[in-house]
């Protein structure tokens, strides 16, 4: 990719976390005149942290991301209605036209909604009390409610949302058509461990069930087995699909998402795509629920991957060189009651290590090839999580004492930098040393550490580790003060 010509017009469609990261990394003064078109009236915010609004951990304002660099033309509440790749022109809902020299599609994904039936009125709109969880407005409305909630869908978002609402004191019923929650991510034995833990947390699980109808003027759901769920509020968490309507109408190559190569280029000249709307040519979508593509590869996805794409594209747009590999595939459930980590894949393993401890609610599965980690699932083993992620991402040999690794008793730092320099927050490149330095400088709570270092303000996957470290340092500090 050739470098930019000073003053080139860059139009970004969408203003979620991926678009925000791109604009932030381009910097200012930069080589482009940047215009950002955001369909939501809100400025960019940390979408993965919406469940923290549900349980009251964070106020709405805490999710907002920093202001874009000075000089960025930010158009909020404005929707792009058409793209003309030949004329290089974007038209918007307010009647304006935005010419561009380079275009970035960051349109994200839309929640999957049920077809005509129990969830919709006669005019096709969602029925009162039925909503998805995709925007800040969705989270704020749910957080202001009371009474029982039915969460439909037991994927990552459904489980996180159900636990967040339960922490807020609301009775929750989780309806999931699969055999166990998170069945797209976990094998049957891990699913049993998760199911047991959720039931111990007073979640009412209706597994292998679907909603057949809404009854009693919207106050209850009838399930396909004839049972009932008493709940006037229904949260839909049944998946998301890339927003590709704009790209498809413009003639860009689209499969389930907008097709991009390893340099994030679409089929249209000088047009790129990042985030949930993008799909690699040689694999499935980038999202955490991505299905295998034509080659059978499921690329790493989710929020961290979107930020990686944004940083790669910023480098390319400013004349640098690079490619997006999608190599970071870490799923960390954002729920303090259920510590769950999944990394990599079990494909191609020549050794499998399984640890099951039903009484303590712990489970682990390590998949290795030639002594190195290809994938792992950890439940209730938070002390092992950082080491396992590091081993996977660096391709380092797994220690011979597998049990000590899983119990967190033998740190896997046999080579390379000491533990303090290992990343805790991958989204913001925050190390353990940086966190400890901030704590010693006075940031003595998890919230204060997040404000000082931005750790936990990305995907939120490290929030529990930040909290645990903060508590450990606080305990150690109290003991030191008592001794002195």
């Amino acid at each position: 990719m050739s470098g930019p010509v000073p003053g080139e017009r860059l139009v970004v469609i969408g203003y979620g976390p991926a678009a925000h990261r791109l604009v932030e990394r381009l910097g200012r003064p930069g080589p482009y005149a940047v215009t950002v078109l955001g369909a939501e009236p809100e400025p960019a915010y940390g979408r993965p942290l919406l469940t923290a609004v549900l349980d009251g951990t964070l106020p709405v304002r805490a999710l907002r991301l920093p202001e874009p660099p000075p000089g960025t033309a930010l158009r909020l509440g404005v929707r792009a209605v058409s793209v003309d790749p030949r004329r290089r022109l974007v038209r918007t809902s307010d009647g304006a036209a935005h010419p561009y020299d380079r275009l970035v599609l960051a349109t994200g994904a839309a929640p999957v909604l049920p077809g005509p039936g129990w969830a919709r009125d006669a005019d096709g709109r969602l029925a009162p009390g039925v909503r998805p969880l995709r925007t800040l407005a969705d989270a704020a409305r749910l957080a202001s409610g009371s009474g029982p909630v039915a969460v439909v869908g037991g994927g990552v978002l459904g489980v996180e949302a159900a636990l967040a609402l339960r922490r807020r004191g609301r009775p929750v019923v989780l309806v999931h058509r699969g055999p166990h929650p998170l069945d797209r991510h976990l094998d049957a034995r891990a699913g049993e461990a998760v199911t047991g833990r959720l039931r111990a947390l007073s979640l009412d699980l209706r597994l292998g069930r679907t909603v057949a109808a809404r009854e009693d003027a919207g106050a209850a759901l009838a399930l396909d087995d004839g049972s009932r769920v008493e709940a006037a509020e229904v949260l839909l968490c049944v998946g998301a699909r890339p927003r590709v309507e704009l790209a498809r109408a413009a003639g860009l190559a689209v499969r389930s998402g907008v097709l991009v190569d390893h340099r994030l280029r679409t089929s249209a000249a000088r047009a790129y795509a990042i985030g949930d709307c993008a799909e690699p040519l040689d694999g499935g979508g980038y999202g955490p629920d991505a299905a295998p593509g034509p080659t059978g590869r499921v690329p790493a996805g989710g929020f961290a991957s979107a930020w990686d794409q944004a940083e790669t594209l910023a480098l390319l747009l400013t004349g640098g060189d690079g490619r997006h590999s999608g190599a970071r595939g870490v799923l960390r459930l954002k729920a303090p009651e259920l510590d769950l980590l999944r990394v990599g894949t079990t494909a191609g393993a020549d050794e499998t290590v399984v640890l099951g401890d039903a009484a303590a609610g712990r489970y682990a599965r390590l998949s290795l090839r030639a002594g190195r980690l290809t994938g792992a699932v950890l439940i209730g083993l938070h002390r092992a999580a950082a080491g396992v992620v590091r081993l996977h991402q660096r391709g380092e040999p797994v220690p011979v004492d597998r049990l000590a690794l899983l119990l967190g008793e033998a740190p896997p730092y046999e080579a390379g930098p000491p533990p303090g320099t290992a990343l805790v927050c991958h989204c913001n490149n925050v190390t353990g040393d940086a966190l400890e330095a901030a704590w010693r400088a006075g940031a003595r709570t998890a919230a204060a550490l997040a404000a000082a270092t931005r750790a936990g303000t990305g995907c939120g996957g490290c929030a529990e580790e930040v909290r645990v470290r903060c508590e450990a340092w606080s305990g150690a500090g109290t003991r030191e003060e008592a001794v002195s």
Side-chain angles (χ1 to χ4, degrees):
M1 180 185 297
S2 59
V5 176
E8 274 193 328
R9 298 161 298 185
L10 175 68
V11 174
V12 181
I13 301 178
Y15 196 42
H20 179 274
R21 188 73 158 187
L22 171 67
V23 173
E24 183 180 58
R25 285 295 182 258
L26 286 174
R28 201 69 183 173
Y32 294 99
V34 179
T35 298
V36 180
L37 307 173
E40 290 186 57
E42 291 279 350
Y45 54 89
R47 199 182 305 278
L49 299 176
L50 288 177
T51 52
V53 174
L54 290 189
D55 69 4
T57 303
L58 293 176
V60 167
R61 64 179 181 278
L63 270 65
R64 295 195 175 102
L65 297 173
E67 292 291 323
T72 304
L74 188 57
R75 305 284 184 262
L76 298 179
V78 174
R79 184 172 53 87
V81 296
S82 69
V83 174
D84 185 340
R86 186 179 60 83
R87 298 175 61 194
R88 294 181 187 161
L89 192 69
V90 178
R91 296 190 182 279
T92 51
S93 55
D94 60 355
H98 301 271
Y100 67 84
D101 298 296
R102 298 184 193 265
L103 174 71
V104 178
L105 297 173
T107 48
V112 173
L113 303 177
W118 65 270
R120 295 178 183 267
D121 286 336
D123 59 4
R125 293 183 300 182
L126 285 175
V130 179
R131 60 176 56 90
L133 180 59
R134 190 68 188 173
T135 68
L136 202 54
D138 293 332
R141 282 194 293 268
L142 273 165
S144 65
S146 60
V149 182
V151 178
V152 179
V156 175
L157 180 61
V159 170
E160 290 180 349
L163 288 172
L165 290 164
R166 190 72 193 90
R167 285 194 297 276
R168 204 172 184 97
R170 301 183 68 174
V172 180
V173 178
L174 181 64
V175 182
H176 183 53
R177 67 189 309 162
H180 56 77
L182 305 168
D183 54 301
R184 295 194 62 176
H185 305 282
L186 305 178
D187 60 34
R189 193 167 175 187
E192 289 178 10
V194 168
T195 299
R197 181 61 181 150
L198 293 179
R199 285 185 167 141
L201 292 168
S202 300
L203 280 186
D204 183 352
L205 302 182
R206 308 294 179 92
L207 303 176
R209 302 271 66 90
T210 59
V211 179
R214 208 161 178 226
E215 299 180 339
D216 295 347
L221 297 177
L223 304 186
D224 59 348
D225 63 349
S227 62
R228 284 167 53 90
V229 173
E230 306 291 338
E233 279 197 275
V234 180
L235 178 58
L236 297 173
C237 298
V238 291
R241 294 194 183 101
R243 295 183 186 272
V244 298
E245 298 81 6
L246 197 65
R248 181 178 284 118
L252 276 63
V254 170
R255 198 157 50 213
S256 60
V258 183
L259 292 176
V260 296
D261 64 11
H262 64 275
R263 295 168 74 86
L264 301 164
R265 296 172 296 196
T266 71
S267 60
R270 292 176 164 254
Y272 313 86
I274 59 174
D276 288 343
C277 72
E279 179 182 354
L281 285 164
D282 63 344
Y286 278 121
D289 293 322
T295 65
R297 183 175 75 90
V298 180
F303 185 83
S305 182
W307 272 27
D308 283 347
Q309 293 171 53
E311 294 191 351
T312 299
L313 185 56
L315 178 66
L316 293 168
L317 287 173
T318 51
D321 192 22
R323 57 184 293 154
H324 180 69
S325 64
R328 289 168 59 184
V330 180
L331 169 65
R332 191 79 184 262
L333 203 69
K334 293 181 283 297
E337 314 93 327
L338 180 58
D339 194 284
L340 185 150
L341 168 77
R342 191 209 68 189
V343 59
T345 175
T346 59
D350 57 30
E351 178 187 352
T352 301
V353 179
V354 177
L355 168 68
D357 183 359
R362 300 187 297 184
Y363 172 84
R365 182 185 181 94
L366 302 181
S367 299
L368 299 91
R369 184 169 61 244
R372 287 171 167 79
L373 202 62
T374 64
V377 174
L378 303 180
I379 299 172
L381 294 162
H382 73 270
R383 292 178 60 190
V388 166
V389 170
R390 180 180 184 274
L391 288 170
H392 179 259
Q393 293 188 336
R394 295 195 174 199
E396 297 173 355
V398 176
V400 174
D401 192 341
R402 317 290 203 232
L403 181 60
L405 168 66
L406 292 175
L407 296 179
E409 296 173 352
Y413 301 101
E414 298 178 349
T421 64
L423 288 177
V424 174
C425 177
H426 291 264
C427 296
N428 291 297
N429 296 315
V430 182
T431 65
D433 282 344
L435 281 170
E436 185 171 4
W439 186 87
R440 293 187 180 281
R444 297 301 173 91
T445 66
L449 285 171
T453 66
R454 297 182 69 181
T457 62
C459 72
C462 65
E464 179 64 6
E465 184 170 350
V466 172
R467 184 187 67 79
V468 169
R469 286 181 180 235
C470 186
E471 290 180 354
W473 290 325
S474 296
T478 300
R479 288 191 296 273
E480 290 173 4
E481 290 171 5
V483 170
S484 62

